[in-house]
C-alpha cells in the first residue's frame, strides 16, 4: 500500500515541477480513492498520462491490498476457531452447555466462577459473539448434530446442560447425548409437561 502511494507521489513530484511533496501525495490519494476531487493544480500532459497510469495500476493494486486484507482476516478467524477446537479436544470431565439463552448464561456464569471447565454450543452468531466477549470456550455450530457434540467432547464430558429454544431440539439432543455417552450427567429444559415425560 505504501509502495503504491510513494510511487504515485514520486511520479507527480517529478513530472510537475511546481508541486510540493504534500501536493503529490494528496493527488495520489484522491486518485486512488476515486472520490472525484479536482486536481491540486492544472496538470501537464505528462501529469495527465501519469494520472491514467495511477488509476489503471494503482487502483488495481489498492483493490488487491484490500482483498489480501480480507483474506488475512478470514485466515485469522479460521486460526482462532482451530485454536479453540484444540483447547476443547484437550478437555476431560468438563461440561457442555447447548444453548446460550437466559438459563445457559446463568449456568455458564456459575461454572466459570467455580473454575469448572465447560464448552458452549450455539448456532446463533450474535450469542456466540457474546460468548467470545466473555472468553468462554465455544462452538458456533448446531447442537442437534452428533458431529457437533463429538467436537464438544461429549465422549469425555462429565455432564451436559441442554437449554435450546424449542422442546423438540432439547429432546433430540438429550437422546443423542445419552446415545453418545450414557454415563454423563444430563440436565434438559422443557416448557411442556408432555415433553418432560418424554425426556424422563
Amino acid at each position: 500500500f505504501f509502495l503504491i502511494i510513494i510511487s504515485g507521489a514520486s511520479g507527480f513530484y517529478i513530472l510537475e515541477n511546481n508541486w510540493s511533496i504534500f501536493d503529490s501525495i494528496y493527488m495520489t490519494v484522491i486518485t486512488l480513492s476515486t472520490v472525484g476531487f479536482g486536481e491540486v493544480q492544472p496538470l501537464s500532459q505528462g501529469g495527465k498520462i501519469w494520472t491514467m497510469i495511477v488509476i489503471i495500476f494503482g487502483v488495481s493494486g489498492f483493490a488487491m491490498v484490500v482483498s489480501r486484507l480480507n483474506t488475512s482476516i478470514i485466515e485469522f478467524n479460521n486460526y482462532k476457531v482451530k485454536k479453540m477446537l484444540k483447547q476443547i479436544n484437550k478437555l476431560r470431565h468438563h461440561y457442555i452447555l447447548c444453548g446460550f439463552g437466559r438459563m445457559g448464561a446463568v449456568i455458564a456464569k456459575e461454572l466459570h466462577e467455580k473454575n469448572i471447565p465447560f464448552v458452549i454450543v450455539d448456532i446463533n452468531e450474535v450469542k456466540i459473539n457474546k460468548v467470545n466477549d466473555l472468553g468462554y470456550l465455544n462452538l458456533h455450530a448446531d447442537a442437534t448434530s452428533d458431529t457437533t457434540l463429538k467436537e464438544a467432547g461429549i465422549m469425555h464430558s462429565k455432564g451436559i446442560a441442554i437449554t435450546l429454544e424449542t422442546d423438540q431440539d432439547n429432546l433430540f439432543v438429550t437422546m443423542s447425548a445419552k446415545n453418545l455417552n450414557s454415563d454423563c450427567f444430563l440436565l434438559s429444559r422443557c416448557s411442556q409437561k408432555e415433553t418432560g415425560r418424554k425426556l424422563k
Side-chain angles (χ1 to χ4, degrees):
F1 174 73
F2 286 110
L3 186 63
I4 293 169
I5 298 291
I6 291 166
S7 300
S10 298
F12 286 119
Y13 185 73
I14 293 166
L15 293 167
E16 305 296 331
N17 296 324
N18 58 335
W19 281 28
S20 67
I21 294 173
F22 179 81
D23 286 343
S24 302
I25 294 171
Y26 177 75
M27 184 64 187
T28 303
V29 171
I30 64 171
T31 303
L32 290 173
S33 63
T34 65
V35 293
F37 291 160
E39 294 87 1
V40 179
Q41 297 179 36
L43 286 166
S44 64
Q45 187 170 349
K48 290 176 181 177
I49 293 169
W50 183 247
T51 302
M52 288 189 285
I53 292 170
V54 170
I55 290 171
I56 293 168
F57 295 101
V59 173
S60 300
F62 184 69
M64 191 182 296
V65 169
V66 173
S67 175
R68 287 297 303 160
L69 182 61
N70 288 337
T71 302
S72 297
I73 291 169
I74 292 168
E75 286 175 356
F76 179 66
N77 288 335
N78 289 338
Y79 165 76
K80 287 199 296 183
V81 171
K82 287 177 182 177
K83 185 181 177 182
M84 192 166 293
L85 279 172
K86 283 183 179 179
Q87 288 178 287
I88 294 169
N89 286 334
K90 292 177 182 178
L91 292 177
R92 295 294 182 271
H93 307 297
H94 62 290
Y95 288 86
I96 300 169
L97 308 184
C98 296
F100 192 72
R102 181 179 57 83
M103 187 59 66
V106 170
I107 297 169
K109 186 180 178 183
E110 284 284 326
L111 293 173
H112 178 69
E113 287 176 353
K114 293 177 180 178
N115 292 318
I116 298 171
F118 65 93
V119 180
I120 295 169
V121 179
D122 204 302
I123 200 167
N124 187 301
E125 189 172 356
V126 174
K127 291 179 181 179
I128 285 296
N129 287 336
K130 289 180 182 177
V131 173
N132 281 321
D133 290 340
L134 291 167
Y136 300 156
L137 289 177
N138 65 82
L139 286 175
H140 181 202
D142 184 3
T144 62
S145 166
D146 282 6
T147 302
T148 300
L149 294 177
K150 288 175 183 176
E151 286 179 348
I154 185 71
M155 309 303 223
H156 308 289
S157 67
K158 192 174 182 179
I160 178 168
I162 306 159
T163 60
L164 299 172
E165 293 181 359
T166 67
D167 282 7
Q168 291 89 341
D169 285 346
N170 289 331
L171 180 58
F172 188 84
V173 176
T174 297
M175 293 169 64
S176 298
K178 272 297 178 186
N179 282 329
L180 292 168
N181 184 352
S182 58
D183 296 326
C184 75
F185 171 81
L186 199 145
L187 171 70
S188 188
R189 190 193 71 172
C190 67
S191 57
Q192 297 178 8
K193 287 183 179 179
E194 183 184 348
T195 308
R197 288 193 293 271
K198 290 178 180 178
L199 281 169
K200 290 177 182 178

